[in-house]
Amino acid sequence: MTASTPLQARISAIGTYVPSHILSNADLQDMVDTNDEWIVQRTGIRERRLAAADEFTSHLCIAAVQDMLGRYPASLDEVELIIVATHTPDLPSTPVACQIQAHFGLPATGAYDLNATCAGFAYALHTASALVAAGVHRKVLVVGADSLSKITDYTDRSTCILFGDGAGAVVVEREEQHPAFIAHHMGSDGSGGKHVYRTGLSTMWQDIPLTGDGKLVQNGREVYKFAVTTVPQGIEKLLAKSGLTQTAIDWFIPHSANLRIIESICEKSGIPVDKALYSLEYMGNTSAASIPLALDLGIKEGKVKDGDTLLMYGFGGGLTHAGLIVRWG
Ligand code: UT7
């Protein structure tokens, strides 16, 4: 396969936010029939951050953008489009992206939300990098954010031990000298939609119940199987498209769903597990936020350096998946 041409775009800034309230494994032990040992052994998660009762996805996004503006010489002046990847918007019909546009008073900025669940950030990066490289927009603000605590059933021990809240924002802008978006791959399998969904909508699709309380329902085993088969295949495609081998990947940043899933993907893909960056240990599964949160942890810990080659891969409800190879800095 001939290597694809890198897209003339790069990620120029990043900012993140997680709420201050910590829900530990010990706390969960008091809520459902579980224990720290089971959770750590099966998922690698020790703590998650939960939004306050009056804190919603738009607040997490705004805090992440503010963090970015405080750390980088980034300005939102030339941002022409805001894409928020989320499946937990504050309101069903006002896009969170519009709430961000209003908060920062950005003029003439397009704004929309994209729902590809836990693969949302990777889907949004696909869209943003293509629009920037095509010359349609100079700068795109991409935010991956979810408030999963709002839709988690805290009586269901198989899901409530997983999820947390958070947001990560990046700016994607034009870069002609050193195009940084090296390879893209995305896919979906709607026939597996029944394995992780939110109740309460009027549908009989795939026998999903007509009624419900709007909480998340998951067949963890099926989603697990989907992840550990689909993601290694996607990584193979990305490497073939980029003309790179595993050794050229400095950091692998998968969706932080479960450490056992990450270890299995690494083993199948020939990527050393110590090359994986994840945010799940102290933040849980934060859905669309998990990849930027892990990237930012890697930057803050001094692991990710300018020029490093990153392989990001998101997967989740839908079922959806998407990956990119991107040069950082
Ligand atoms: O981000 C969106 C995509 N979602 C995911 O990627 C989730 C993917 N799946 C997973 O991460 C894992 O499947 C889980 C962590 C959800 C579950 O782990 P598992 O190793 O697949 O466990 P299991 O569902 O097969 O359950 C094994 C046993 C069961 O008991 P029995 O039937 O063997 O007696 C469960 O009832 O573990 C029991 N169990 C628990 N025990 C203690 C389930 N949840 C818990 C719990 N504490 N929290």
Side-chain angles (χ1 to χ4, degrees):
M1 184 187 281
T2 324
S4 50
T5 310
L7 294 190
Q8 293 190 329
R10 71 181 179 110
I11 301 174
S12 58
I14 183 167
T16 53
Y17 173 77
V18 288
S20 56
H21 178 67
I22 295 172
L23 183 72
S24 68
N25 290 351
D27 296 330
L28 282 160
Q29 233 164 272
D30 296 335
M31 296 160 65
V32 287
D33 180 15
T34 191
N35 57 76
D36 177 63
E37 193 190 350
W38 192 96
I39 302 172
V40 172
Q41 203 209 346
R42 301 274 180 146
T43 72
I45 299 169
R46 296 177 190 278
E47 294 176 359
R48 10 21 235 127
R49 299 300 187 97
L50 265 50
D54 59 354
E55 194 176 27
F56 293 89
T57 298
S58 66
H59 302 112
L60 310 185
C61 292
I62 288 164
V65 174
Q66 262 155 354
D67 177 55
M68 183 182 78
L69 295 175
R71 290 165 52 194
Y72 287 81
S75 141
L76 300 179
D77 289 351
E78 289 177 348
V79 167
E80 294 174 341
L81 175 64
I82 303 167
I83 307 174
V84 175
T86 187
H87 62 110
T88 50
D90 302 21
L91 301 159
S93 65
T94 296
V96 176
C98 292
Q99 294 176 283
I100 296 176
Q101 183 276 328
H103 178 87
F104 291 100
L106 302 183
T109 304
Y112 64 87
D113 292 356
L114 175 162
N115 177 359
T117 65
C118 304
F121 184 75
Y123 267 67
L125 278 187
H126 272 237
T127 311
S129 58
L131 288 170
V132 167
V136 176
H137 296 302
R138 282 175 295 174
K139 276 189 188 176
V140 179
L141 175 65
V142 171
V143 191
D146 272 304
S147 308
L148 291 174
S149 64
K150 310 284 189 209
I151 63 163
T152 295
D153 176 357
Y154 285 99
T155 64
D156 175 5
R157 68 176 180 170
S158 71
T159 56
C160 73
I161 51 133
L162 299 173
F163 300 120
D165 303 333
V170 297
V171 169
V172 176
E173 64 180 85
R174 182 97 178 150
E175 173 60 55
E176 289 166 17
Q177 296 286 315
H178 304 289
F181 279 83
I182 297 165
H184 300 65
H185 176 67
M186 59 164 48
S188 64
D189 176 12
S191 70
K194 62 191 170 203
H195 298 315
V196 51
Y197 60 88
R198 192 174 165 187
T199 61
L201 302 176
S202 300
T203 177
M204 282 303 285
W205 186 62
Q206 296 186 351
D207 296 330
I208 292 171
L210 273 164
T211 55
D213 53 6
K215 302 296 185 198
L216 206 79
V217 177
Q218 175 172 262
N219 180 337
R221 268 284 148 101
E222 290 300 327
V223 182
Y224 193 107
K225 279 193 258 170
F226 167 75
V228 301
T229 51
T230 309
V231 178
Q233 289 164 3
I235 289 173
E236 205 178 310
K237 291 205 168 70
L238 277 174
L239 291 172
K241 281 184 188 175
S242 65
L244 299 174
T245 60
Q246 285 85 342
T247 52
I249 303 302
D250 294 300
W251 298 107
F252 172 44
I253 315 180
H255 167 44
S256 271
N258 178 327
L259 187 54
R260 286 177 56 217
I261 291 178
I262 295 173
E263 287 167 347
S264 171
I265 293 170
C266 283
E267 195 186 333
K268 289 183 179 179
S269 301
I271 297 174
V273 78
D274 60 7
K275 293 262 170 184
L277 297 178
Y278 46 86
S279 49
L280 59 85
E281 195 174 2
Y282 293 101
M283 295 171 186
N285 175 344
T286 52
S287 196
S290 87
I291 290 178
L293 286 174
L295 170 59
D296 205 20
L297 283 177
I299 293 166
K300 286 173 176 165
E301 288 168 6
K303 291 177 175 171
V304 177
K305 303 206 168 56
D306 281 1
D308 278 359
T309 301
L310 315 176
L311 195 160
M312 307 184 206
Y313 215 110
F315 57 87
L319 300 169
T320 54
H321 65 100
L324 306 98
I325 297 179
V326 181
R327 197 161 296 119
W328 175 251

